Amino acid sequence: MQDAVLLGVLLAAVATGFGLGIRFDARRKHRHPTTTDSSLAREYFVGLNYLLDEKPDQAIHTFIHALDVNSDTVETHIALGKLFRARGEADKAVSIHQNLLARPALSSETNAHVQLELAQDFIALGVHDRAERLLQTLLSQTGNDTYRLRAKRLLIDLLDREHEWQQALDTVHSMLKQQPGMRRAAAHWHCELAREEIGQSSRQLARRHLKKALQMDETCVRATLMLSELEMENGQYQRAIEWLERIPHQDIAHVPTMLPALQRAYERQEAPEKFESHLYRLLGQAPYTSVIIALGELVHRRDGVDGAIECTGEWLREAPSLGGLDYLIDLYLQSERLGGKATPDTRLLLLKHHTDALLEDRPRHRCRHCGFASEGLTWQCPSCRRWGTIKPITGIEGE
Ligand SMILES: [Zn+2]
């Protein structure tokens, strides 16, 4: 498909050049084409022959050779470079763009445009340091706002790939007013810096980065979770819980993410009754399966298996789910065992067999932007590379 587009662009560009030459001569009443025109015509037909012989690569090279660089064809050359890059032949795109930059007559705007394209070629080739240098030079030279913005976006993307979080933050700083959508990524860069500080035992600096993350994006669940974790490490369990209490207001979908930390904090406090009332509060906000199961386990420990069956069954009537049903079947099987039944009910075993099969290898998280599904939670989607878009799957088949 891309080959067809590439050949179409070339064929049209060379044919136009050839046709213009002939018309120009006709106006001057010349009967014979000039030498340049005849060589253009020859290459045009050589290219066509390659096409007819189904040799698209040779056809493309012949047409490019026929297409001279001048102010009328610069855009065509840029379009060709883009097509080569899209075909995975960024090295060819580099030579087209470098060839253009070698022309001293390019306007400063065209020069900036070609440099941007060349930077993208280098990124596609994985030569990130050259792309970075080119973009930095472009930013220091061009006054064109459109190209400056595009160069900054490319540079930020590059710094993000290279895990240069502080540099990414420095670059994004002046853009945040016009590009508020970048605040979410910036908050995660602060979280990454906090993680590095924690790795070097600098908890004070980590805390500072996490507060900045929340200033950048008040809905940054990750920063809140990390602040809660720092309080837990200090033995400040109540403060840890207070941080976690913010999460349902930041993003209700992350309640299953915070639940293990919440349980740990109440266990350290040895306050199961407080945990229970907290779970009821969460169920009032969103009756997620993981919260119902956590409550079921708590009641199980306190009132035994039959109390857990009653409590879980009631909540599952309101919010049915596959995981909840599986948990309930487990409770029924336990109840039978405790009741002294020698062999389990085969109907229950059959149901359990089905829920196990349906739950096996089921992804627990999904990117809300591109749909990438995974078992664990990652803060940056490995597929679309957006930050904070992967969340627990909730609902009938979810957490
Ligand atoms: Zn994604």
Side-chain angles (χ1 to χ4, degrees):
M1 179 59 195
Q2 280 163 1
D3 275 356
V5 178
L6 186 57
L7 280 166
V9 172
L10 277 165
L11 210 55
V14 178
T16 308
F18 179 43
L20 283 174
I22 298 300
R23 274 201 299 280
F24 181 75
D25 285 342
R27 266 208 312 277
R28 290 190 172 190
K29 297 188 169 57
H30 281 290
R31 288 287 169 201
H32 305 288
T34 62
T35 316
T36 316
D37 291 330
S38 64
S39 105
L40 190 61
R42 193 175 59 248
E43 287 186 278
Y44 181 63
F45 288 114
V46 169
L48 272 182
N49 260 329
Y50 277 132
L51 264 189
L52 293 170
D53 290 344
E54 293 184 356
K55 292 174 178 167
D57 276 354
Q58 284 98 322
I60 287 166
H61 290 131
T62 311
F63 286 140
I64 287 180
H65 191 248
L67 194 64
D68 193 18
V69 177
N70 60 51
S71 58
D72 293 331
T73 61
V74 164
E75 288 301 324
T76 310
H77 278 268
I78 292 175
L80 285 172
K82 272 188 187 169
L83 282 164
F84 271 121
R85 195 167 66 233
R87 270 166 44 116
E89 294 177 86
D91 50 336
K92 287 182 185 151
V94 166
S95 56
I96 289 179
H97 292 136
Q98 281 180 332
N99 181 36
L100 282 176
L101 286 178
R103 312 287 161 138
L106 286 190
S107 72
S108 61
E109 279 198 10
T110 307
N111 193 290
H113 188 178
V114 178
Q115 285 194 58
L116 264 180
E117 293 296 329
L118 188 58
Q120 288 174 80
D121 301 338
F122 286 139
I123 292 171
L125 284 171
V127 195
H128 292 178
D129 52 340
R130 287 189 76 175
E132 194 181 323
R133 276 203 302 276
L134 196 61
L135 290 167
Q136 299 279 19
T137 312
L138 176 60
L139 280 170
S140 67
Q141 285 173 353
T142 185
N144 181 305
D145 284 345
T146 310
Y147 291 129
R148 283 186 70 79
L149 187 64
R150 285 178 59 189
K152 274 194 177 184
R153 290 190 78 99
L154 275 178
L155 185 59
I156 286 167
D157 184 54
L158 205 55
L159 294 167
D160 181 276
R161 284 172 197 266
E162 298 282 295
H163 295 190
E164 297 286 356
W165 317 118
Q166 188 57 57
Q167 277 194 64
L169 282 165
D170 294 342
T171 312
V172 87
H173 188 71
S174 59
M175 299 168 67
L176 289 173
K177 272 207 175 97
Q178 303 97 308
Q179 307 273 314
M182 303 206 74
R183 298 187 83 89
R184 187 166 59 189
H188 278 277
W189 297 331
H190 274 299
C191 291
E192 289 291 339
L193 288 169
R195 209 163 59 101
E196 287 175 10
E197 296 296 350
I198 291 168
Q200 289 161 13
S201 302
S202 314
R203 282 172 170 64
Q204 202 52 39
L205 288 175
R207 202 171 270 117
R208 207 175 296 166
H209 274 299
L210 295 170
K211 297 272 173 72
K212 280 186 185 169
L214 287 173
Q215 283 164 13
M216 204 52 97
D217 174 13
E218 58 182 10
T219 68
C220 185
V221 167
R222 184 189 187 185
T224 310
L225 270 175
M226 289 176 81
L227 281 162
S228 164
E229 199 56 51
L230 287 175
E231 297 294 355
M232 286 272 277
E233 283 176 16
N234 276 344
Q236 300 291 334
Y237 308 127
Q238 190 51 40
R239 281 196 205 159
I241 292 166
E242 282 162 17
W243 278 115
L244 295 175
E245 272 181 325
R246 297 180 183 211
I247 289 177
H249 306 286
Q250 290 180 307
D251 188 342
I252 192 80
H254 273 296
V255 165
T257 310
M258 63 170 264
L259 212 50
L262 191 72
Q263 182 164 0
R264 221 166 39 246
Y266 280 115
E267 277 172 1
R268 302 260 169 90
Q269 272 193 332
E270 297 180 8
E273 66 295 337
K274 281 193 191 167
F275 184 38
E276 188 174 343
S277 50
H278 200 139
L279 289 177
Y280 275 112
R281 280 207 303 283
L282 287 176
L283 284 170
Q285 291 169 302
Y288 290 137
T289 311
S290 47
V291 185
I292 295 174
I293 292 176
L295 181 66
E297 285 294 278
L298 205 65
V299 175
H300 191 179
R301 279 195 289 276
R302 191 187 60 210
D303 301 338
V305 71
D306 290 332
I309 288 174
E310 194 184 331
C311 168
T312 313
E314 238 170 72
W315 276 104
L316 287 176
R317 253 194 295 278
E318 233 180 85
S321 74
L322 190 59
L325 176 64
D326 183 71
Y327 175 68
L328 194 58
I329 295 169
D330 274 335
L331 290 177
Y332 275 120
L333 286 167
Q334 274 186 56
S335 173
E336 280 197 336
R337 252 195 326 274
L338 291 169
K341 208 170 172 203
T343 51
D345 188 331
T346 50
R347 289 169 301 180
L348 278 179
L349 286 177
L350 181 67
L351 284 173
K352 178 71 183 151
H353 176 74
H354 282 290
T355 52
D356 277 348
L358 287 166
L359 288 168
E360 199 182 29
D361 296 331
R362 177 189 55 125
R364 288 166 179 267
H365 295 87
R366 180 166 287 127
C367 173
R368 304 292 171 96
H369 180 74
C370 73
F372 175 85
S374 61
E375 166 66 22
L377 171 69
T378 42
W379 294 109
Q380 185 177 32
C381 175
S383 175
C384 69
R385 302 190 52 253
R386 281 169 195 258
W387 286 97
T389 50
I390 295 188
K391 296 179 187 182
I393 298 171
T394 52
I396 198 147
E397 285 184 43
E399 299 295 299

